[in-house]
Amino acid sequence: MTQGAGQEPVVRTATLRDFRVPPYAQTPVPPQAQAAPPSPVPPRAPEPNPPAPGASVPPAVPPLAPAPPRPPHPGNAVVGGEQPEGYTPTERDLPVIRRGDTVQVRTVPEPRPVAEDSRGPLFVVGDVHGYLDELIAALGAQGLIDADGNWAAGNARLWFLGDFTDRGPDGIGVIDLVMRLSAEAAAAGGYCKALMGNHELLLIGAKRFADTPVNSGAGTATFQAAWLLNGGQKSDMERLQDVHLQWMSRLDAVVEEDGHLLMHSDTTAYLDYGSTIEDVNDTITAILTRNDADECWDLFRKLTKRFAFRDEGGAQAVRELLTTYGGQRVVHGHSPIPYLLGEVGTEDGEDGAGPVINGPHVYADDLAIAMDGGVTMAGKLLVVQLPLHD
């Protein structure tokens, strides 16, 4: 929850199958071998059954004429002579593979698209906000990680809905965990992915622009001040590295999975950035790439809006998003379920005042699912399998 807010092209890595032995790595033909006469043709062995007298005898096959000597290929390295024109010498010539040699090559297969019927179950995670221990416990309870915190779910699919940092004690630890699980899940045939939340935009802005004034629409503001106001942790900023910034900057904002339209914020502001999911994600990535403080602030401000699906007209707002981007239900985080229900909980949950959250909140004519269980107000960090059986 936020208060007070008013890439390079993909380069394909060549595999070993893409390489061929270039001409200059072929076995050079020694000059003496080129000039040597061909071996004489051995005489034909006598036939076991000579033809009868008077029978026709097929004409003898004349020996093949010797092939003219082949000049060395201009790309080949000539042994003991000058390099031909156009040859680019290397530090050492490539090894020549001769007949009979055994060469063991470790090949790297290209990834194959996953068949629709072989995909694992789909899980989503609500706002984490730096509560690493609670996240590990919730993932373990669903069997997604083992006791050591490693991926244990095979080909399962896991989506985080954004807001990894701020308010809680270890936002960078949460990001590190998600990045590691992404690699481990991919190796196991599944995947672990994440969406852009408004707090990712806030942290990126605080790091990039700090106290640079931006036009907030209600006077001047700064990312640094907004980040601190909304629970920014100095320990997170101290541990923030370029790899974290690059990873966050490339997150998608909207995806569709199994009829579920996944996004962080319960707002229709996504419609301002494109009429397709691809357009929205490309536009937001381009904004972050341009690195303009005012443009980034406007993006942060719009994705901080909330409650578009809660009140009168909420179901129609959801339908507009579904009609535009596809899917049968919107699944979002951002707005804590206690706020959507009109409940109020304290940040520390003293005297049992924390809200009781048992699971996601389905609302807006059953078209929207809220996933922020209010972990920052002693609620619950939700990790849920979709589709819901409600």
Side-chain angles (χ1 to χ4, degrees):
M1 183 186 72
T2 303
Q3 306 165 356
Q7 296 299 213
E8 298 90 2
V10 176
V11 178
R12 179 179 179 270
T13 301
T15 60
L16 290 174
R17 78 181 73 183
D18 296 317
F19 293 99
R20 301 292 183 267
V21 178
Y24 57 78
Q26 299 172 7
T27 305
V29 181
Q32 61 271 24
Q34 298 176 10
S39 301
V41 179
R44 174 184 296 179
E47 297 181 5
N49 298 316
S56 61
V57 179
V61 179
L64 296 175
R70 296 177 60 186
H73 191 282
N76 286 351
V78 179
V79 178
E82 296 182 357
Q83 305 294 357
E85 182 180 359
Y87 172 71
T88 302
T90 58
E91 183 177 351
R92 58 182 179 181
D93 290 330
L94 297 176
V96 177
I97 301 175
R98 297 179 176 84
R99 182 175 301 174
D101 290 346
T102 300
V103 180
Q104 295 182 354
V105 179
R106 180 178 179 271
T107 60
V108 181
E110 296 182 355
R112 299 180 178 180
V114 180
E116 187 81 15
D117 55 358
S118 65
R119 296 183 303 172
L122 174 64
F123 293 83
V124 291
V125 184
D127 301 32
V128 182
H129 283 299
Y131 285 86
L132 178 60
D133 291 343
E134 287 79 355
L135 173 61
I136 291 174
L139 293 174
Q142 290 286 3
L144 295 167
I145 61 175
D146 60 22
D148 295 323
N150 299 314
W151 181 260
N155 65 344
R157 297 167 291 156
L158 178 62
W159 275 102
F160 285 80
L161 300 181
D163 279 9
F164 304 107
T165 66
D166 305 336
R167 305 194 190 285
D170 195 0
I172 298 302
V174 171
I175 293 177
D176 285 337
L177 174 63
V178 177
M179 292 174 66
R180 177 171 61 80
L181 290 179
S182 296
E184 294 177 358
Y191 59 73
C192 169
K193 299 183 180 182
L195 293 180
M196 174 77 70
N198 63 310
H199 279 262
E200 280 67 67
L201 295 170
L202 189 56
L203 182 57
I204 293 170
K207 180 65 173 181
R208 288 184 181 179
F209 308 117
D211 291 323
T212 300
V214 294
N215 184 4
S216 68
T220 58
T222 69
F223 272 103
Q224 178 74 10
W227 173 69
L228 290 171
L229 177 66
N230 289 282
Q233 302 295 306
K234 293 182 179 180
S235 59
D236 283 345
M237 186 64 73
E238 292 170 354
R239 296 162 56 203
L240 183 64
Q241 301 177 24
D242 287 343
V243 65
H244 301 129
L245 289 170
Q246 293 169 5
W247 180 78
M248 289 188 293
S249 298
R250 296 171 182 169
L251 295 177
D252 285 338
V254 185
V255 296
E256 189 270 332
E257 287 275 4
D258 298 351
H260 299 90
L261 188 62
L262 309 181
M263 56 183 58
H264 173 70
S265 304
D266 48 329
T267 178
T268 58
Y270 294 94
L271 296 169
D272 295 344
Y273 296 99
S275 58
T276 67
I277 289 176
E278 183 178 13
D279 287 344
V280 173
N281 294 330
D282 288 347
T283 299
I284 291 177
T285 300
I287 290 172
L288 293 174
T289 301
R290 284 193 291 270
N291 209 30
D292 179 87
D294 285 325
E295 194 174 21
C296 288
W297 178 267
D298 188 61
L299 173 62
F300 160 68
R301 181 181 60 84
K302 287 182 177 179
L303 295 192
T304 301
K305 294 179 179 179
R306 63 175 79 251
F307 299 149
F309 315 147
R310 184 185 66 175
D311 301 321
E312 185 178 356
Q316 182 56 38
V318 177
R319 291 189 181 94
E320 185 178 4
L321 288 168
L322 296 174
T323 300
T324 303
Y325 301 131
Q328 287 79 50
R329 265 182 168 176
V330 165
V331 182
H332 70 86
H334 188 48
S335 291
I337 293 173
Y339 284 9
L340 291 170
L341 297 176
E343 300 174 356
V344 177
T346 62
E347 291 290 338
D348 54 15
E350 291 181 356
D351 301 325
V356 178
I357 301 298
N358 296 314
H361 173 51
V362 181
Y363 67 117
D365 291 352
D366 291 341
L367 296 174
I369 301 174
M371 282 290 302
D372 184 351
V375 67
T376 62
M377 55 181 69
K380 186 176 183 179
L381 202 163
L382 296 177
V383 179
V384 175
Q385 183 176 349
L386 296 178
L388 297 180
H389 300 290
D390 45 33

